[in-house]
Amino acid sequence: AQSVSQHNHHVILSEAASLELGCNYSYGGTVNLFWYVQYPGQHLQLLLKYFSGDPLVKGIKGFEAEFIKSKFSFNLRKPSVQWSDTAEYFCAVRVGTGGFKTIFGAGTRLFVKA
Amino acid sequence: DSGVTQTPKHLITATGQRVTLRCSPRSGDLSVYWYQQSLDQGLQFLIHYYNGEERAKGNILERFSAQQFPDLHSELNLSSLELGDSALYFCASSVGGGLTDTQYFGPGTRLTVL
């Protein structure tokens, strides 16, 4: 069965530190990959997505992610985090033909200390 | 604000009862997706409707059903409720029903079953 693994459930960083959140998926076919963010008390928002082409994808708020097909990974990065990046981050894979489904990872809670 | 609205925001009910959650998609969006977010299962895809027709089913229990009406709003019906159904229920909408469409999430309905 398809699955998405996020390795870190909780991450604590100081402002200006670099961030990398791991995401691995289990699916042998073509995948569409997403990172979503959920700020405290808010709805899920799309950070970035990858469908094809350049495996390095840039998203909003200075985030980027790299798709490495051989490693089934889609890690999220940001060179310098801010206090306002405190949120929960979800990696997701969308699979299927005709009817499709989006499979989410368990999420990583990031807390950035001011 | 994503433009997707969900009502009610909170719902408290008892085991064995039936509830209806409502979702209004963004103006112009034809697809509605339902998700369940719980502590033990994480964020799970339930069902997808496109222009009134069911497109895909995920981990939706038989006690749950959904429909999308001609005005494109959708309702998720949960019956014979159990304690384990307590969760945050999100809906999302997208313009089309394609694999690469961006989904916009609503604020969710928090269901508590006592």
Side-chain angles (χ1 to χ4, degrees):
Chain A
Q2 305 97 351
S3 64
V4 176
S5 298
Q6 291 183 240
H7 314 300
N8 312 99
H9 294 294
H10 294 90
V11 173
I12 301 174
L13 294 173
S14 297
E15 275 195 314
S18 64
L19 170 72
E20 180 158 3
L21 301 182
C23 172
N24 285 90
Y25 63 92
S26 163
Y27 184 70
T30 302
V31 292
N32 297 284
L33 298 157
F34 304 81
W35 275 98
Y36 286 89
V37 61
Q38 188 174 26
Y39 297 103
Q42 294 189 28
H43 57 275
L44 277 162
Q45 300 173 45
L46 181 67
L47 268 181
L48 47 80
K49 57 187 178 182
Y50 172 81
F51 299 142
S52 63
D54 189 344
L56 185 60
V57 181
K58 294 197 184 299
I60 61 171
K61 305 188 181 190
F63 286 91
E64 64 178 33
E66 185 175 14
F67 170 53
I68 303 180
K69 190 174 180 180
S70 61
K71 294 185 178 181
F72 297 89
S73 71
F74 190 55
N75 293 353
L76 181 71
R77 299 194 291 249
K78 185 171 184 178
S80 176
V81 294
Q82 300 172 312
W83 176 80
S84 58
D85 293 323
T86 294
E88 189 160 15
Y89 293 80
F90 294 90
C91 179
V93 168
R94 195 176 293 173
V95 298
T97 52
F100 61 84
K101 56 181 179 178
T102 304
I103 302 160
F104 283 85
T108 297
R109 287 184 186 267
L110 171 67
F111 179 72
V112 180
K113 297 183 290 185
Chain B
D1 185 0
S2 65
V4 178
T5 59
Q6 290 186 248
T7 56
K9 286 186 179 176
H10 301 275
L11 196 49
I12 301 174
T13 188
T15 54
Q17 295 298 305
R18 173 190 169 92
V19 297
T20 297
L21 313 183
R22 183 187 170 104
C23 170
S24 293
R26 295 185 324 151
S27 177
D29 285 1
L30 297 178
S31 274
V32 170
Y33 311 81
W34 285 98
Y35 294 87
Q36 179 195 59
Q37 186 179 32
S38 63
L39 283 174
D40 53 344
Q41 300 285 334
L43 193 57
Q44 292 202 80
F45 166 69
L46 295 178
I47 198 162
H48 168 205
Y49 275 85
Y50 174 77
N51 204 20
E53 292 188 3
E54 183 185 301
R55 271 286 181 92
K57 265 186 175 179
N59 301 323
I60 188 166
L61 300 172
E62 284 191 14
R63 300 184 285 109
F64 295 3
S65 65
Q67 52 184 327
Q68 186 180 26
F69 295 87
D71 67 352
L72 301 176
H73 91 271
S74 177
E75 292 180 356
L76 179 68
N77 299 296
L78 316 177
S79 62
S80 303
L81 284 167
E82 301 174 0
L83 295 177
D85 298 327
S86 294
L88 195 51
Y89 291 84
F90 287 106
C91 84
S93 73
S94 66
V95 172
L99 204 58
T100 59
D101 282 12
T102 296
Q103 294 180 17
Y104 295 88
F105 282 78
T109 292
R110 184 169 294 281
L111 174 66
T112 303
V113 182
L114 301 175

